[in-house]
Amino acid sequence: MDKSRLQEVLGSIWGSHDPLEPTARLLAAPLVGESRMLIDGELVAASSGRNFANIDPTTEQTLGYVADADPADIDRAIGAARRAFDTTTWSTDAEFRKHCLLQLHAGLVRSADRLRATAVREIGIAARTTYSFHSDLAISYVPYFAELATTYQYERPLPDQPWSEGTKRIVRHEAVGVVATITPWNFPLYSLITKLAPALAAGSTVVLKPAPQSPWHATLIARIIAEETDFPAGVINIVPTSDNAVAELLTVDPRVDMVHFTGSTAVGKKVMANAAHRVARVSLELGGKSANILLDDVDLEAVLPVAAGMVCMNAGQGCVLPTRMLVPRSRYPEAMELAKLVYETIPYGDPTMPDVVYGPQVSAVQRDRILGLIDKGTAEGAKLLTGGRRPKHLDRGYFVEPTLFVDVDPDSTIAQQEIFGPVLCISPYDSIDDAVTIANNSVYGLAGNVWGQDADTAMSVARRIRSGAVSVNGGLFYAPDLPIGGFKQSGIGRESGIEGFEEFLEPKAIALGI
């Protein structure tokens, strides 16, 4: 495949080559973030006076500081959310909820370029890739849920039945109460919005704890809420902390009715165990090890660069990314050669540069974990075709080269464990049944991908993949009205869509004797 044509195909994955002018201007100057947290309607410092550093993973330098919540701050935030839910009309005034959410949407639109620049600086997202999940797509979810706040049928009468003679029956849905939301660092704005917007639209109140690696996304939104909206005090509280033990208080406090968590499966299990002690509701969006099945009729030159290139989006830091590629054995040599060319062509490095498509890992800890798993893959017999190291031409930043493994045993560590880096594992298969078996050979079930020219065959394979979302021929399964969530150890519950909205509602049966 011609290299210039390959670069053109790869460019289609990552979006605009040139950042919008306002974002470029923001990146040209030192970025100033919001250091305060939001508790009970006020932007405040931590009660202890402590802060923690926000590190730029590209330069390894400190961008600024953020208030570091302690137990007293968590206690005050939960108390404010409890009071706002129990003593105000927030949970019953759907029109007002819609009004406040639309104000938030307008504020996010005004701040979109700052949010893009923040994504580049605090998590190392390539500037050219910040116009979807890291800004525009996430922001577009807010009006969907604002509208749902007033159009959802909160009370549904049931028809008369022989067994219910003399009784009028209603199924009513009420807000779940106080929700603790814990968001990850890899897609901070998207994860924050897909929790906040439906929870607030449904009438719940929220205490949100952002990841310490990407706190400015959350504190910027805290400032928008405090200064540009009419949200009542206590309805939303945003409490960054660098201490996992402090964050854990949100999962054990009896005043919290529900914990909504996105992160690793290991931490999700702990969240679930903590909530189980008091029989609190949980919704968990956890890890993934998505399979990408290329059927034998696929046009490899058209599909493989896209299918392989997607793994490097966000420096591979995405739970739905298709990190296991399954290729028909008859086309395996061709696929390996093309994938190697793709991974040796992907431009990576300084995320502020317009041609770069991925930047650094979010931290030194994350980089070193990835490199350790790469070593593990080699030790277990997979063939490292390209990459696998810290790049020699970048003397700072938490970078990992685009890395391609072939001849990967489906039961090996790198085929089973979530790597969360720019690492693709390719394995051959002998039949469609074999491909489906390999795809489903995982404790995870978050997403899957199928490519084939015969749409009926591709769809039949998609229906057999045990995961919460499947993309067929590049179809996008992220949208405000599509529910996303996992099978197996990839989670419990759904985000987005009616299903995601109903996560924050409790059904109540009312029977009236007549």
Side-chain angles (χ1 to χ4, degrees):
M1 186 177 189
D2 179 74
K3 224 169 188 181
S4 61
R5 171 58 184 152
L6 176 58
Q7 289 174 337
E8 182 184 333
V9 173
L10 290 173
S12 69
I13 308 170
W14 290 293
S16 171
H17 189 76
D18 297 305
L20 294 176
E21 184 61 26
T23 304
R25 285 201 303 270
L26 286 167
L27 289 172
L31 190 66
V32 178
E34 174 57 62
S35 64
R36 296 167 293 177
M37 65 181 80
L38 177 65
I39 300 178
D40 206 8
E42 297 182 343
L43 293 169
V44 296
S47 59
S48 65
R50 289 196 295 268
N51 298 294
F52 65 91
N54 192 11
I55 305 297
D56 183 336
T58 304
T59 65
E60 304 183 38
Q61 301 299 306
T62 297
L63 290 167
Y65 294 87
V66 186
D68 197 355
D70 64 12
D73 298 312
I74 298 294
D75 179 73
R76 185 180 167 213
I78 295 172
R82 186 77 263 169
R83 188 205 68 245
F85 185 80
D86 291 341
T87 66
T88 75
T89 61
W90 177 256
S91 67
T92 57
D93 192 343
E95 287 290 346
F96 183 58
R97 299 200 300 269
K98 177 180 178 179
H99 162 76
C100 293
L101 282 165
L102 291 177
Q103 287 181 318
L104 174 59
H105 177 253
L108 290 169
V109 170
R110 287 190 292 270
S111 297
D113 286 299
R114 181 163 294 279
L115 287 162
R116 282 189 267 269
T118 300
V120 175
R121 290 299 189 198
E122 76 174 358
I123 25 181
I125 304 305
R128 70 181 290 175
T129 71
T130 58
Y131 299 94
S132 55
F133 289 98
H134 296 291
S135 61
D136 299 34
L137 178 65
I139 292 169
S140 75
Y141 279 52
V142 179
Y144 170 80
F145 286 109
E147 188 65 26
L148 203 53
T150 57
T151 59
Y152 183 79
Q153 187 179 7
Y154 294 97
E155 288 196 2
R156 174 171 52 89
L158 294 184
D160 293 336
Q161 298 288 353
W163 54 81
S164 63
E165 185 176 351
T167 301
K168 179 181 179 181
R169 303 171 305 148
I170 294 171
V171 177
R172 175 176 168 80
H173 288 84
E174 298 177 356
V176 70
V178 175
V179 178
T181 64
I182 302 172
T183 58
W185 48 261
N186 57 329
F187 290 96
L189 181 62
Y190 176 84
S191 297
L192 188 153
I193 293 299
T194 56
K195 289 172 170 49
L196 262 191
L200 296 169
S204 290
T205 58
V206 176
V207 180
L208 184 141
K209 200 289 295 184
Q213 296 90 343
S214 55
W216 279 357
H217 276 82
T219 56
L220 176 57
I221 290 173
R223 189 167 70 198
I224 292 171
I225 290 165
E227 297 178 353
E228 302 179 38
T229 75
D230 296 324
F231 281 101
V235 166
I236 312 175
N237 305 271
I238 296 177
V239 283
T241 180
S242 65
D243 188 338
N244 288 337
V246 172
E248 192 174 356
L249 296 174
L250 291 168
T251 70
V252 299
D253 195 294
R255 295 169 293 176
V256 173
D257 298 295
M258 177 183 184
V259 181
H260 204 292
F261 171 81
T262 296
S264 72
T265 295
V267 177
K269 289 177 180 178
K270 189 170 186 181
V271 169
M272 191 174 182
N274 286 349
H277 285 296
R278 54 193 179 85
V279 198
R281 288 178 60 177
V282 295
S283 183
L284 308 172
E285 200 270 295
L286 306 176
K289 192 67 180 177
S290 301
N292 201 346
I293 300 175
L294 276 56
L295 299 178
D296 59 8
D297 65 346
V298 78
D299 180 345
L300 277 182
E301 287 204 356
V303 167
L304 191 142
V306 176
M310 283 192 294
V311 175
C312 293
M313 181 183 182
N314 216 34
Q317 299 170 136
C319 49
V320 301
L321 296 178
T323 54
R324 293 184 294 149
M325 180 177 287
L326 310 181
V327 180
R329 194 173 298 277
S330 62
R331 309 195 67 185
Y332 193 57
E334 179 187 0
M336 287 192 294
E337 182 181 351
L338 184 52
K340 183 174 184 290
L341 178 60
V342 169
Y343 271 53
E344 291 175 347
T345 302
I346 291 173
Y348 67 98
D350 182 348
T352 66
M353 302 303 292
D355 60 329
V356 162
V357 299
Y358 86 79
Q361 312 310 130
V362 76
S363 68
V365 170
Q366 177 69 6
R367 177 201 60 203
D368 294 346
R369 177 183 172 277
I370 293 164
L371 293 172
L373 284 167
I374 290 171
D375 290 343
K376 184 82 167 177
T378 302
E380 291 183 357
K383 182 178 180 181
L384 180 62
L385 214 54
T386 188
R389 299 168 300 179
R390 296 177 62 177
K392 293 180 179 178
H393 68 286
L394 296 170
D395 58 1
R396 62 179 181 174
Y398 310 127
F399 292 93
V400 174
E401 294 175 326
T403 299
L404 175 63
F405 278 105
V406 297
D407 300 343
V408 177
D409 182 339
D411 293 318
S412 65
T413 300
I414 60 171
Q416 291 291 320
Q417 190 169 330
E418 187 173 40
I419 298 174
F420 230 59
V423 181
L424 174 62
C425 300
I426 302 184
S427 302
Y429 69 85
D430 295 308
S431 66
I432 287 179
D433 286 347
D434 186 31
V436 171
T437 297
I438 296 171
N440 289 335
N441 175 30
S442 174
V443 298
Y444 298 112
L446 188 58
N449 297 260
V450 183
W451 298 81
Q453 294 195 45
D454 186 324
D456 290 338
T457 301
M459 286 293 292
S460 72
V461 173
R463 292 186 179 98
R464 297 173 63 188
I465 295 176
R466 295 285 297 163
S467 66
V470 182
S471 169
V472 178
N473 290 337
L476 182 65
F477 49 63
Y478 281 103
D481 56 351
L482 271 176
I484 296 295
F487 289 14
K488 299 185 277 187
Q489 291 189 32
S490 285
I492 295 173
R494 293 295 181 268
E495 290 187 344
S496 304
I498 297 291
E499 294 83 356
F501 180 76
E502 290 178 336
E503 289 285 318
F504 301 99
L505 295 171
E506 288 275 23
K508 174 189 286 185
I510 301 178
L512 171 64
I514 54 176

